[in-house]
Amino acid sequence: MSIRRIALTSAAVTLAFTTLAQARPDTRAMTCQQTQALIQSHGSAVLTTGPNTYALYVRQYSNACDWSLIPAVGFVPTRDGQCLVHRCREPLYTPPG
């Protein structure tokens, strides 16, 4: 294989991965119903919520969170206002007594 062919292949692969990384759905461009449907259909989704923010959102009854986390209520901005979704968070625990 020539050096030129290897360089072109490497550039194409890099461009493909860069494009995929930027393809994260943006809640600000979707309605609340579309955002919730996306999360429900995939079980969980990493969504952009602002110019420099993103997070993992999950179904209410989901095993997508790590073992020490639980799905908790959160809100994201959508085209039609604020939308109720669930994020993985540490459970609130108050010791007895």
Side-chain angles (χ1 to χ4, degrees):
M1 226 188 213
S2 71
I3 297 293
R4 183 175 181 195
R5 179 175 262 171
I6 292 171
L8 287 174
T9 303
S10 295
V13 168
T14 301
L15 180 61
F17 281 117
T18 302
T19 303
L20 286 174
Q22 295 174 353
R24 186 173 45 239
D26 190 335
T27 62
R28 298 168 299 162
M30 298 186 289
T31 64
C32 183
Q33 185 176 7
Q34 290 170 328
T35 302
Q36 291 173 338
L38 178 68
I39 295 167
Q40 286 297 323
S41 68
H42 294 286
S44 65
V46 176
L47 303 173
T48 297
T49 58
N52 300 310
T53 57
Y54 62 91
L56 174 67
Y57 296 94
V58 298
R59 289 183 191 158
Q60 181 176 4
Y61 301 106
S62 173
N63 61 354
C65 298
D66 286 341
W67 67 272
S68 63
L69 305 175
I70 60 168
V73 171
F75 293 89
V76 295
T78 56
R79 196 171 60 204
D80 55 354
Q82 292 291 310
C83 184
L84 186 137
V85 293
H86 292 84
R87 274 183 78 173
C88 297
R89 301 213 182 206
E90 289 186 23
L92 298 176
Y93 174 72
T94 306

